[in-house]
Amino acid sequence: MAKKQLDVLTALDAAKTQWYHFTAIVIAGMGFFTDAYDLFCITTVTKLLGRIYYADAPNVPGILPMSVASAVTGVALCGTLVGQLFFGWMGDKLGRKKVYGITLMLMFVCSISQGLSFSSSRKGVMATLCFFRFWLGFGIGGDYPLSATIMSEYANKKTRGAFLAAVFAMQGFGILAGGIVSLIVSAAFRKYEADVSHNLAVHESDYVWRIILMFGALPAALTFYWRMKMPETARYTALVAKNASKAAVDMARVMKVDIEDNQSNMQSNEPEFGLFSVRFLRRHGRHLLGTTSTWFLLDIAFYSQNLFQKDMFKAVGWIPKSGEMGAIQEVYTIAWAQVRIAIFSIIPGYWFTVFLIDHIGRFVIQLIGFFFMSAFMLVLAIMYDYWRGHKYGFLVMYAFTFFFANFGPNSTTFIVPAELFPARFRSTCHGISAAMGKAGAIVGAFGAGYLAQDDKHRKTALLILAFTNALGYVFTFLVPETNGRSLEEISGENDDVEDKDRDPTIPYTVSV
């Protein structure tokens, strides 16, 4: 590796924590705030959609049919999966910054458009809503690999874990914001609700879900200017674009570091190898299997819990059943439950990770999270009939599963793929890992979600989720600890120069 490149990387790893690091956290984190708002605010309005458009349903009036409910909640996840693969690959090919703004523009346009899903028939409204939520998810998907890669490449090695965790922790505030906006909007429109029957003021109520969904465009719009002002990451410029001088200039422009520019750019003699080549698989195949499998298993449980928590809360009597309250009142009640879970369980879990990850490491936190998620789910499943008569005990146990998801694998599965892989594959491999996570989320939304809506099968759903968390615990042992080391040391990029004359038939030793 050229000396100039090493100078840039060393300066990045040794840089003191400074104001630009926090600016980068806010810029990247606001993307995740928007992501979480857009993905989870649908939870508060699905019942209202059923009341407005399916009030004449023959079996359960006012409830979205299972196929429609799964499509409305799951189609954004399908778009997210595709976006993670596409933008992850684009981030390595064109650079992180060049495609970073595109994702935000997609999120802005589709957040507005999904609220304008007008049609003369309910099928038309649902189809249009699903169309725009797919492309909304496509933009959200790009935020995962790009934000993670950008933050990891800006951070120093001492506090890199905390910075990445802080970016992802904005997801908790996005979930909280979804509940708060739903509370405010539903409270403003409750005067139009005549009674607890299905004969609500449809015209006024139709504005409620549209305003809630469209609000997601606001944080995206506020972030766009600052995102476009960010320079390309110095690691991408130095290691992938092979322009160490420009990397030094860009870094000096935003951070207080000084690198002497007294030599020409020297090209690295490192041997190039492709994604999924034999050399890549020898070095990183096990790591990629670990990051994809753990994220897949985690999201089956995490998204099932988030998207269908309202059904669990109704089952234990924490919130009334649909027939006992009006449609807009139901939005208010579900939103209020979401706000309390976010404040007392979800957000604390994220910030425990922020404060502890650089002290106890990613590996330990992920094992702790999977273990306790599995344990609490198993206890809830085995004693489900008992907990139904003890709703506050159920809520405490259920809240702990959220806490240990976020003080655990929901944070670490996002962080570790941004650290393990070489710079030229980092965004792509993070996108692949995240896409496998969304595949798990889709399984949760379309599979476990069906079970969670039926009271007879909720115990089975909890048992399945406990088992998937236990599998996540086992697959965690495929993932190495990355704490306290530079990205180049972790990925082995510093060793590439020494490897140029190596016999390719001799296996590489990868420390785990």
Side-chain angles (χ1 to χ4, degrees):
M1 187 177 293
K3 181 179 183 299
K4 187 59 171 289
Q5 290 174 327
L6 287 174
D7 289 343
V8 171
L9 303 179
T10 301
L12 278 170
D13 285 329
K16 294 181 179 180
T17 300
Q18 48 198 274
W19 182 249
Y20 189 76
H21 287 123
F22 296 104
T23 302
I25 288 172
V26 173
I27 294 171
M30 283 304 293
F32 275 96
F33 177 97
T34 308
D35 298 348
Y37 181 94
D38 288 331
L39 285 178
F40 293 114
C41 69
I42 195 70
T43 303
T44 65
V45 300
T46 48
K47 297 291 186 183
L48 180 61
L49 290 172
R51 299 262 198 146
I52 295 172
Y53 296 104
Y54 290 86
D56 59 345
N59 297 322
V60 188
I63 302 298
L64 281 177
M66 282 191 179
S67 58
V68 178
S70 293
V72 169
T73 55
V75 71
L77 301 177
C78 296
T80 303
L81 186 155
V82 178
Q84 285 164 336
L85 292 172
F86 177 75
F87 286 110
W89 173 73
M90 290 289 286
D92 284 334
K93 291 296 180 183
L94 301 180
R96 299 21 168 159
K97 180 188 175 180
K98 287 184 179 178
V99 293
Y100 207 24
I102 298 173
T103 63
L104 212 58
M105 284 301 299
L106 267 173
M107 289 155 60
F108 174 79
V109 171
C110 292
S111 291
I112 296 292
S113 300
Q114 66 177 339
L116 302 177
S117 302
F118 293 105
S119 176
S120 59
S121 68
R122 66 189 180 196
K123 287 185 178 180
V125 172
M126 293 299 114
T128 310
L129 176 61
C130 287
F131 174 82
F132 286 115
R133 283 193 66 77
F134 175 86
W135 289 107
L136 173 66
F138 187 70
I140 289 172
D143 238 40
Y144 277 74
L146 294 172
S147 291
T149 301
I150 286 170
M151 196 67 248
S152 71
E153 291 181 346
Y154 270 122
N156 59 54
K157 65 181 179 181
K158 184 179 179 181
T159 57
R160 185 179 60 239
F163 289 163
L164 280 163
V167 168
F168 199 59
M170 293 298 289
Q171 195 176 69
F173 292 112
I175 294 172
L176 175 63
I180 291 174
V181 171
S182 298
L183 281 175
I184 294 171
V185 175
S186 57
F189 279 83
R190 278 172 65 181
K191 63 182 180 181
Y192 295 108
E193 190 158 60
D195 51 45
V196 299
S197 70
H198 299 296
N199 299 317
L200 70 161
V202 174
H203 179 74
E204 289 79 7
S205 300
D206 199 45
Y207 285 113
V208 172
W209 69 269
R210 297 179 187 277
I211 294 171
I212 292 171
L213 296 187
M214 291 170 73
F215 185 84
L218 181 60
L222 293 175
T223 312
F224 184 79
Y225 171 76
W226 297 106
R227 190 170 282 196
M228 290 299 91
K229 285 190 67 176
M230 293 180 76
E232 182 58 83
T233 70
R235 278 189 161 91
Y236 181 88
T237 305
L239 293 172
V240 182
K242 304 293 177 62
N243 191 340
S245 290
K246 187 176 188 308
V249 171
D250 287 344
M251 191 169 59
R253 182 159 58 92
V254 296
M255 292 196 295
K256 295 177 182 178
V257 292
D258 187 22
I259 303 172
E260 293 294 332
D261 192 11
N262 55 9
Q263 54 188 307
S264 61
N265 284 309
M266 297 184 294
Q267 296 299 316
S268 168
N269 292 322
E270 71 176 48
E272 297 286 347
F273 55 89
L275 186 65
F276 300 124
S277 65
V278 173
R279 290 194 66 187
F280 175 86
L281 293 176
R282 282 175 179 167
R283 289 189 174 193
H284 302 293
R286 181 180 178 182
H287 300 159
L288 189 59
L289 175 61
T291 58
T292 53
S293 59
T294 52
W295 208 335
F296 173 81
L297 293 165
L298 174 276
D299 271 5
I300 292 176
F302 183 74
Y303 276 85
S304 297
Q305 287 176 264
N306 269 290
L307 293 174
F308 299 99
Q309 59 182 301
K310 60 185 181 296
D311 299 300
M312 291 292 187
F313 296 156
K314 287 183 179 180
V316 299
W318 191 39
I319 58 178
K321 295 182 180 180
S322 297
E324 300 173 7
M325 54 183 168
I328 300 178
Q329 173 65 30
E330 187 171 26
V331 174
Y332 184 91
T333 304
I334 293 171
W336 182 225
Q338 180 172 306
V339 165
R340 283 179 280 183
I341 288 291
I343 292 173
F344 295 109
S345 178
I346 294 175
I347 292 174
Y350 280 120
W351 288 94
F352 263 67
T353 302
V354 172
F355 293 127
L356 294 176
I357 191 166
D358 288 316
H359 299 285
I360 64 177
R362 291 77 161 139
F363 182 77
V364 172
I365 288 177
Q366 186 158 309
L367 286 180
I368 290 172
F370 269 130
F371 176 82
F372 282 106
M373 287 175 69
S374 184
F376 285 119
M377 283 289 186
L378 189 61
V379 172
L380 286 173
I382 292 174
M383 302 176 63
Y384 180 69
D385 293 330
Y386 170 83
W387 292 118
R388 290 190 63 183
H390 299 78
K391 62 182 179 181
Y392 292 110
F394 178 93
L395 291 172
V396 170
M397 299 285 285
Y398 200 70
F400 269 122
T401 64
F402 278 111
F403 175 83
F404 282 106
N406 297 312
F407 179 51
N410 191 44
S411 296
T412 55
T413 53
F414 170 81
I415 293 166
V416 173
E419 301 177 312
L420 274 177
F421 304 101
R424 63 182 181 276
F425 303 134
R426 186 168 291 134
S427 180
T428 301
C429 289
H430 194 284
I432 292 170
S433 302
M436 283 301 295
K438 282 302 170 285
I442 292 166
V443 171
F446 288 97
Y450 272 103
L451 295 175
Q453 291 184 62
D454 190 338
D455 190 56
K456 294 182 294 184
H457 300 303
R458 288 195 182 108
K459 182 175 181 178
T460 303
L462 290 168
L463 284 171
I464 292 171
L465 297 182
F467 178 70
T468 59
N469 291 326
L471 281 179
Y473 182 94
V474 173
F475 278 93
T476 296
F477 287 92
L478 294 174
V479 182
E481 179 58 76
T482 57
N483 191 27
R485 293 186 287 161
S486 72
L487 296 178
E488 290 68 43
E489 182 184 355
I490 296 166
S491 65
E493 286 176 282
N494 283 343
D495 301 328
D496 281 339
V497 172
E498 300 172 7
D499 290 344
K500 64 181 178 180
D501 298 319
R502 185 187 178 106
D503 184 344
T505 63
I506 300 175
Y508 282 84
T509 301
V510 181
S511 61
V512 178

